[in-house]
Amino acid sequence: MPDPVRTAAVRAVIIAAVTLIQAMVAFFCAMAGAWFAFPAVLSTVASTVVATWAVLDVWVTRQVWVQRNGVRSQPSSTARRLRRERRQARRAARRARAAREGPSRVGGAAA
C-alpha cells in the first residue's frame, strides 16, 4: 500500500475507533440517565460524519494515487515465460561450453 493511502487509512481507523468509544459513552450515559448523554449523542453523530468522510478519503486517495502512478502489477505470465526461456538458453550455453572444454578434472591434481 502506498504511503499516502496508508496514512489516510490509519487516520480513518483512529477516527472510527474514537467514534465507537464516543458511541459507547453516549449509550452508557443514556442508560444511566446522566446529563452528559445529550452532548455525547450529538458528538457521536458529528464523529460519524467525520468517520464517513475519512473512509471516503482513503478511497479517493487510493484512486488518485493509482491515476498518477499507475498500477504496480506482478510479473505477467509473459514475463515468466521470457525469464524461463533466457534461463534455458543460459543452461544450454553452459552445457555447450562444458562439452567443448572436455571433462573436468576432479580433485584438482595434474596428470
Side-chain angles (χ1 to χ4, degrees):
M1 190 178 336
D3 284 341
V5 180
R6 182 180 298 119
T7 303
V10 168
R11 185 172 43 242
V13 166
I14 291 172
I15 290 171
V18 168
T19 301
L20 288 173
I21 292 170
Q22 283 181 327
M24 287 190 330
V25 167
F27 175 75
F28 289 134
C29 285
M31 290 295 108
W35 66 269
F36 190 65
F38 183 69
V41 168
L42 290 181
S43 172
T44 302
V45 170
S47 291
T48 303
V49 172
V50 172
T52 304
W53 188 268
V55 171
L56 285 174
D57 181 49
V58 173
W59 181 71
V60 169
T61 304
R62 183 182 175 281
Q63 295 298 325
V64 168
W65 192 90
V66 167
Q67 188 175 19
R68 287 183 183 164
N69 300 298
V71 177
R72 311 282 184 189
S73 61
Q74 298 297 322
S76 66
S77 58
T78 305
R80 275 189 230 106
R81 183 174 42 85
L82 291 174
R83 276 198 317 266
R84 187 180 315 119
E85 290 171 1
R86 283 195 303 263
R87 205 169 36 241
Q88 288 171 349
R90 280 195 308 264
R91 287 178 186 158
R94 256 185 295 193
R95 277 191 235 109
R97 194 173 0 153
R100 276 194 313 260
E101 294 174 2
S104 62
R105 296 185 187 154
V106 177

